[in-house]
Amino acid sequence: MSNKPNASRREFLRMASALSVAGTAAPFALNLAAMGSAAAQTAPGDYKAIVCLFLFGANDHANTVLATDSSSWSQYTSVRTTTDAGSIALPALGAQGGVIPIVPKTAQAGRSFALHPNMTEMKALFDKGRAAVVSNVGPLIVPTTLAQYKAASVPLPPKLFSHNDQQSLWQAYAPEGAAYGWGGRMGDLMAANNTNTIFTAISTAGNAVFLAGKSVNQYQVSASGAVPIGGLTGTLFGSGSAAGSFRSIITGDTSNLFQKEYAAVTNRSINAQSLLSPAMAPAGTGGVPNPTQYTNPNTGALANNSLATQLQTVARIIAGRSALGAKRQVFFVSLGGFDTHDFQKTAQADLLARLSHAVSYFDGMMSNLQGADLSSQVTLFTASDFGRTFTSNGDGTDHGWGSHHFVVGGAVKGGNIYGDFPVTGLKHSLDVGSGSLLPQFSVDQYGATMANWFGLSTTQINDVFPNITNFTTRNIGFLG
């Protein structure tokens, strides 16, 4: 007898688990098989979490981390200063509103470096040894030279320079439509350490393929936490009994297999929310302090930072780790707006100010989370679609490839730039066109470094990162 109907049914349910219950904003992306699983057979004694902070739209790395030695700065200003009123060049070191210096622990001969002027908090973290820069990271299948790229003589990542596809490649090794992400696959392998595996992979930013595993499905929450299905408690339509009837309708048994599974998922969603909500630390006084407002550099006005609120929610969930029985968790948060083809100088200034402020807030929370120092147990890293061209189109930049990224936390070997910082300018050995960078490090190497710290074995890392065996360097070394 053919098993195709059962396979189709399983696929339907897997896809459905990545969605939210329509009209309720209730979490629907649940681990159906393991809601009440027993504690792990070999649960680690410690707790660790990885937080992916995705910068949607492709952050311009060349205005985020800059080389400021005289030769590099000369190239920078000559290319990025245009006759257009929208020139994207930043003010020099020491100038009013100029770039801010960082001094890596490991010198790179003849070179000096700085961060964007609005990343003062990130500079402080770097100087304290709590943040590191990993230079020129991007999707690669094998180590690739410029000559090999031009000749297409080695396998190249598919659909380069495409937003949706490269977002997926960063998160899941394949273009748009990928089924599994490397965060979810790490969750698959570590979920048995958690009493409730449903809380292994959690997103505050909607559905993300990064968190999709083969057995673990992401649990989605709003920026303020778990959201219950409306109408299940209290009065409904003025009736005290209608709430119970409503729950019976959406969770009741039925002979229809699809309806039966839908009801089971809904019931488990309700149960999951009932577990998470009381376990989370409250926001504000007596719980996880609310983030301060940040200063919008373009207006000088104070404003709320939605990214900081997402990270507050992550902190509140981490604070409830014992009640949830969590030993290993993977989180996903995001900040959008980085597709700066136009108005880059002002747009990126605000975005990087928000990024710097939010990451600093989160690091502070991990250093003293309800009296506990979890800073060495939680690592945050940035990711983005791709870098951008070094050349300007007037007041913006176009799609690139490799990009510089930040890793933050107490376990980070901070205060350093990892990798040889690329030449500033055009027509060098890593320029695939218009100053777009051929990556030095693959996403596999970047992720494998974190997976090793997270506790995965060499065999497991090979499974999660299918291209890692193509690279001599498996661990970049930015984590203890």
Side-chain angles (χ1 to χ4, degrees), residues 72-377:
S72 297
W73 193 257
S74 176
Q75 287 292 316
Y76 172 81
T77 54
S78 67
V79 175
R80 291 214 148 188
T81 302
T82 68
T83 56
D84 190 292
S87 171
I88 62 169
L90 298 171
L93 198 72
Q96 179 69 29
V99 296
I100 48 180
I102 55 172
V103 181
K105 293 177 180 177
T106 303
Q108 299 199 20
R111 309 200 76 182
S112 58
F113 303 96
L115 299 181
H116 188 282
N118 297 116
M119 303 197 79
T120 52
E121 299 96 341
M122 188 68 79
K123 170 185 163 54
L125 291 173
F126 187 92
D127 290 347
K128 291 176 184 176
R130 302 184 64 81
V133 174
V134 185
S135 64
N136 195 15
V137 187
L140 286 173
I141 297 174
V142 297
T144 303
T145 66
L146 184 61
Q148 289 170 328
Y149 167 76
K150 290 181 175 179
S153 59
V154 296
L156 297 173
K159 300 185 178 181
L160 288 168
F161 316 112
S162 160
H163 281 293
N164 291 350
D165 294 299
Q166 296 308 301
Q167 288 167 8
S168 184
L169 272 171
W170 254 95
Q171 298 179 41
Y173 350 101
E176 187 175 18
Y180 312 117
W182 54 273
R185 291 293 293 119
M186 287 198 297
D188 286 340
L189 296 169
M190 301 300 287
N193 297 303
N194 298 336
T195 302
N196 293 301
T197 59
I198 191 172
F199 302 119
T200 301
I202 301 177
S203 172
T204 68
N207 187 42
V209 70
F210 173 74
L211 293 180
K214 293 183 178 180
S215 61
V216 165
N217 291 317
Q218 62 194 284
Y219 181 61
Q220 298 174 30
V221 299
S222 73
S224 58
V227 181
I229 297 175
L232 293 183
T233 58
T235 60
L236 180 62
F237 302 121
S239 168
S241 61
S245 299
F246 176 49
R247 177 162 182 161
S248 296
I249 291 170
I250 63 176
T251 63
D253 198 11
T254 173
S255 60
N256 183 286
L257 292 179
F258 287 104
Q259 291 177 357
K260 192 181 191 74
E261 291 297 336
Y262 183 92
V265 170
T266 304
N267 196 50
R268 287 165 180 157
S269 298
I270 296 167
N271 292 337
Q273 185 272 327
S274 69
L275 288 172
L276 181 59
S277 291
M280 290 177 65
T285 305
V288 176
N290 293 323
T292 61
Q293 293 182 309
Y294 82 106
T295 300
N296 184 319
N298 299 319
T299 65
L302 291 172
N304 294 329
N305 188 344
S306 60
L307 176 59
T309 302
Q310 289 183 62
L311 289 170
Q312 180 188 33
T313 299
V314 171
R316 292 172 59 203
I317 294 172
I318 291 174
R321 64 199 178 281
S322 296
L324 296 172
K327 295 291 187 179
R328 291 293 186 272
Q329 291 182 294
V330 185
F331 294 92
F332 184 88
V333 300
S334 72
L335 180 63
F338 285 91
D339 194 15
T340 51
H341 290 280
D342 301 291
F343 310 112
Q344 177 173 299
K345 200 167 184 180
T346 54
Q348 194 188 29
D350 182 50
L351 290 167
L352 293 182
R354 290 160 62 186
L355 170 66
S356 180
H357 168 265
V359 170
S360 177
Y361 161 78
F362 183 69
D363 183 77
M365 291 303 98
M366 292 302 99
S367 297
N368 184 17
L369 187 62
Q370 296 191 314
D373 183 358
L374 296 182
S375 58
S376 64
Q377 296 167 259

Side-chain angles (χ1 to χ4, degrees), residues 8-51:
S8 297
R9 175 173 169 269
R10 286 194 297 270
E11 177 62 11
F12 168 82
L13 294 171
R14 190 194 69 77
M15 294 298 293
S17 70
L19 304 175
S20 297
V21 177
T24 67
F28 195 83
L30 306 178
N31 182 346
L32 306 184
M35 177 68 187
S37 68
Q41 294 177 355
T42 57
D46 63 347
Y47 170 86
K48 286 185 178 179
I50 290 176
V51 183

